[in-house]
Amino acid sequence: MAGKIIGIGIGPGDPELITIKALKALKTADVICVPKSRLEKTSMALSTIKHILEEREKYPEVIELIFPMIRDESELKRLWNKNAEIVADKVKKGDTLAFVTLGDPFFYSTFIYLYHRLKEMYPEIELEIIPGITSLTACSASSKIPLAEKNETVVIIPYNIGSKQIEEMAKYADNLVFMKGTKHIKDLVPILERVGFTKNSTIIFAKRCTMPEEKVIVGKLSDVQNWDICEDYFSMTVIKRSYFQNNRE
Amino acid sequence: MAGKIIGIGIGPGDPELITIKALKALKTADVICVPKSRLEKTSMALSTIKHILEEREKYPEVIELIFPMIRDESELKRLWNKNAEIVADKVKKGDTLAFVTLGDPFFYSTFIYLYHRLKEMYPEIELEIIPGITSLTACSASSKIPLAEKNETVVIIPYNIGSKQIEEMAKYADNLVFMKGTKHIKDLVPILERVGFTKNSTIIFAKRCTMPEEKVIVGKLSDVQNWDICEDYFSMTVIKRSYFQNNRE
């Protein structure tokens, strides 16, 4: 079996934030796999790389793997088993498959589901990972505020973490990152103030960084109550304990 | 003043993990700035991009800015004020300067020192950031173990954090990342076991990922005592609370 699967991170959305390694793989892979959350939607990952595929002598085969955003773990497993079968069939024929994900394939990515299923069901299949620029550093670049410096710690908190755990984790954190959707950010202010964040702590709300619809708001924790934040799956919030104070801005 | 300064992340070391955006900036910048920790050493950042500069019609001016690894904040500030002056003089002449850093310019990078000095001393100078692949996702790609998935939290701990703080931060962490040098990793095992990590928790030691001298060791927390780890500035350790158990490997 000469085929393999390459998990490719294509970065946060700006087509120029793709690496040369990813670009080469996208130009040569036999089959391109893209994740889609629902049948009727256009894959954002595919839109970001479409121009690369169109420059190829022959437009490659593109497989859209459906990845519904559901919580039911056994149903998810069933769907990903099916996706793993589709992918493995191609690899067994000798094809090289590029599975494309926004950001990085190993940082809260849909690729990880497929990866686990493939490793368990087809341990003989070769898997390669090409890392990508994450939304994390894209947000720092767009806001022009460093993510972490010197001896600062960073705590990354995904969606659906309880407020008690957030409070405990924030106690010793210099920088807090809330990933993918920041629904209850206004409710977090009193929690963060209990663990030493102040009204002057810096808060960055970033949505679709490096994409055409990019929106970045930078302010102080005390400003948040007046912010009109429009929630988005591709949004994140970074809170820095003492950035403005340290840098006298 | 038409000049500007671009902080460019060139990724973890593999020259192919540079983004197209960074490549374009390196091909057109009037002056390339690279950080060097000591006069006598070769800049690793420069070695990584030298081939790009050599492909240019005319090899650009390269300025090596000395950044000693010292703790004295006031001496550091004095040196970086000097570096900021050197850089600002060029920008005032209309030059575009590309400051090159391994990894990402806003993630524990030497560029941040310069950035703060420039913002304070020359607020009129235009600053642009091009994000880069961090050692974090490079380590995940090389070890083929995801950094974070689903509702997992990530805690990033730099060098020189006390063991009490590490213990507190580890309590609620699913994934722990120890950045740049992991000297006391063997001493951390009992601390981590006190907060629910087990002998079966996954540990990844990664050195110079994606560089020719890359070394990655994956094992269980109980293996660490027997590991012969060679410390390195470009090394990191990732500890995953329950990866092997969850994924039945």
Side-chain angles (χ1 to χ4, degrees), chain B:
Chain B
M1 195 199 302
K4 65 173 171 178
I5 297 167
I6 313 174
I8 301 182
I10 57 164
D14 178 346
E16 292 210 330
L17 288 177
I18 289 176
T19 63
I20 296 164
K21 195 165 190 168
L23 185 70
K24 282 189 180 175
L26 291 169
K27 280 182 176 171
T28 55
D30 300 301
V31 182
I32 308 291
C33 298
V34 290
K36 260 178 74 167
S37 59
R38 267 179 257 122
L39 256 173
E40 68 274 22
K41 276 172 72 184
T42 313
S43 158
M44 281 186 70
L46 184 58
S47 313
T48 310
I49 58 145
K50 214 169 166 59
H51 65 287
I52 298 168
L53 307 184
E54 281 165 356
E55 280 167 14
R56 289 176 57 158
E57 208 166 303
K58 189 177 164 286
Y59 197 86
E61 181 182 356
V62 174
I63 299 177
E64 298 193 319
L65 299 176
I66 308 302
F67 166 71
M69 288 188 185
I70 55 173
R71 300 268 173 85
D72 182 338
E73 286 284 333
S74 66
E75 175 63 5
L76 268 179
K77 193 169 173 175
R78 194 189 65 78
L79 287 165
W80 278 107
N81 282 354
K82 214 180 107 190
N83 285 336
E85 280 171 34
I86 295 169
V87 163
D89 278 349
K90 294 279 177 190
V91 176
K92 284 175 187 166
K93 285 176 195 153
D95 284 345
T96 292
L97 273 74
F99 187 100
V100 177
T101 46
L102 281 167
D104 180 274
F106 271 175
F107 189 64
Y108 301 113
S109 149
T110 50
F111 175 71
I112 303 173
Y113 289 90
L114 181 68
Y115 181 75
H116 289 316
R117 303 316 309 134
L118 284 169
K119 275 189 79 173
E120 195 175 308
M121 295 163 69
Y122 309 96
E124 71 281 11
I125 287 182
E126 188 187 340
L127 290 152
E128 189 189 325
I129 306 296
I130 300 179
I133 305 276
T134 62
S135 53
L136 219 60
T137 52
C139 163
S140 305
S142 292
S143 65
K144 296 194 181 172
I145 292 179
L147 180 58
E149 54 190 295
K150 296 175 193 164
N151 278 335
E152 289 180 3
T153 56
V154 181
V155 172
I156 304 170
I157 296 171
Y159 211 60
N160 287 324
I161 298 292
S163 53
K164 180 66 193 152
Q165 185 176 344
I166 291 173
E167 182 170 343
E168 289 298 325
M169 297 194 83
K171 265 184 191 163
Y172 291 88
D174 297 300
N175 302 292
L176 280 169
V177 180
F178 295 91
M179 298 292 295
K180 286 183 185 174
T182 44
K183 212 158 48 185
H184 305 299
I185 209 76
K186 289 181 188 184
D187 302 338
L188 285 178
V189 176
I191 295 168
L192 297 181
E193 286 183 346
R194 277 206 294 276
V195 293
F197 284 73
T198 71
K199 294 197 190 315
N200 288 320
S201 292
T202 308
I203 179 162
I204 304 146
F205 172 77
K207 190 172 116 180
R208 299 185 180 234
C209 276
T210 84
M211 295 183 191
E213 321 88 313
E214 172 180 298
K215 186 177 180 182
V216 178
I217 319 175
V218 178
K220 295 178 179 180
L221 213 51
S222 54
D223 300 335
V224 172
Q225 299 304 335
N226 306 317
W227 281 6
D228 181 26
I229 295 177
C230 179
E231 298 305 334
D232 188 287
Y233 181 72
F234 294 101
S235 70
M236 62 191 302
T237 305
V238 177
I239 304 174
K240 297 180 76 73
R241 192 180 278 269
S242 45
Y243 183 70
F244 281 131
Q245 292 94 305
N246 289 348
N247 299 294
R248 289 190 238 122
E249 281 169 271

Side-chain angles (χ1 to χ4, degrees), chain A:
Chain A
M1 196 199 304
K4 64 173 170 176
I5 297 167
I6 314 174
I8 301 183
I10 57 165
D14 178 346
E16 292 210 331
L17 288 177
I18 288 176
T19 63
I20 295 163
K21 195 165 190 167
L23 185 69
K24 282 188 180 174
L26 291 170
K27 279 183 177 172
T28 55
D30 300 300
V31 182
I32 308 291
C33 298
V34 291
K36 260 177 74 168
S37 58
R38 269 178 256 122
L39 255 172
E40 68 273 23
K41 278 173 74 186
T42 314
S43 158
M44 283 185 70
L46 183 59
S47 314
T48 310
I49 57 145
K50 214 170 166 58
H51 65 288
I52 299 168
L53 306 184
E54 280 165 354
E55 279 167 14
R56 288 176 58 157
E57 207 165 301
K58 190 175 162 289
Y59 197 86
E61 181 183 357
V62 174
I63 299 178
E64 300 193 319
L65 299 176
I66 308 302
F67 167 71
M69 289 187 183
I70 54 173
R71 299 268 174 84
D72 182 338
E73 286 284 334
S74 66
E75 175 63 5
L76 268 177
K77 193 169 173 176
R78 194 189 64 79
L79 287 164
W80 278 107
N81 281 355
K82 214 180 106 192
N83 286 335
E85 279 171 33
I86 296 169
V87 163
D89 278 348
K90 293 281 178 191
V91 176
K92 283 174 187 168
K93 284 177 195 151
D95 285 345
T96 292
L97 272 73
F99 186 101
V100 177
T101 46
L102 280 167
D104 181 273
F106 272 174
F107 188 64
Y108 300 112
S109 150
T110 51
F111 175 71
I112 302 173
Y113 287 90
L114 181 67
Y115 181 75
H116 289 317
R117 303 315 309 135
L118 283 169
K119 274 188 79 174
E120 195 176 307
M121 294 163 69
Y122 309 96
E124 70 281 11
I125 288 183
E126 189 187 341
L127 290 152
E128 190 189 326
I129 306 296
I130 300 179
I133 306 276
T134 62
S135 53
L136 220 62
T137 52
C139 163
S140 306
S142 292
S143 65
K144 296 193 180 174
I145 293 179
L147 180 59
E149 54 190 294
K150 296 174 191 164
N151 278 335
E152 289 180 2
T153 55
V154 182
V155 172
I156 303 169
I157 297 172
Y159 210 60
N160 288 322
I161 298 292
S163 53
K164 180 66 194 155
Q165 185 177 343
I166 291 173
E167 181 169 343
E168 288 299 325
M169 297 195 82
K171 264 183 191 164
Y172 291 88
D174 296 301
N175 302 293
L176 281 170
V177 181
F178 295 90
M179 299 292 295
K180 288 185 184 171
T182 44
K183 212 156 52 182
H184 306 299
I185 209 76
K186 290 182 186 183
D187 301 337
L188 284 178
V189 176
I191 293 169
L192 297 181
E193 286 184 346
R194 276 206 294 277
V195 293
F197 285 72
T198 71
K199 293 196 190 314
N200 288 320
S201 293
T202 307
I203 179 162
I204 305 146
F205 172 77
K207 190 173 115 179
R208 300 185 179 233
C209 277
T210 85
M211 294 183 192
E213 321 87 313
E214 171 181 298
K215 186 176 180 183
V216 177
I217 319 175
V218 178
K220 294 177 179 181
L221 213 50
S222 54
D223 301 333
V224 172
Q225 299 304 332
N226 306 318
W227 282 5
D228 180 26
I229 296 177
C230 179
E231 298 305 332
D232 189 286
Y233 181 73
F234 294 101
S235 70
M236 62 190 301
T237 305
V238 177
I239 304 175
K240 299 181 73 74
R241 192 180 277 269
S242 45
Y243 182 70
F244 281 131
Q245 292 94 306
N246 288 349
N247 299 294
R248 288 189 236 121
E249 282 168 88

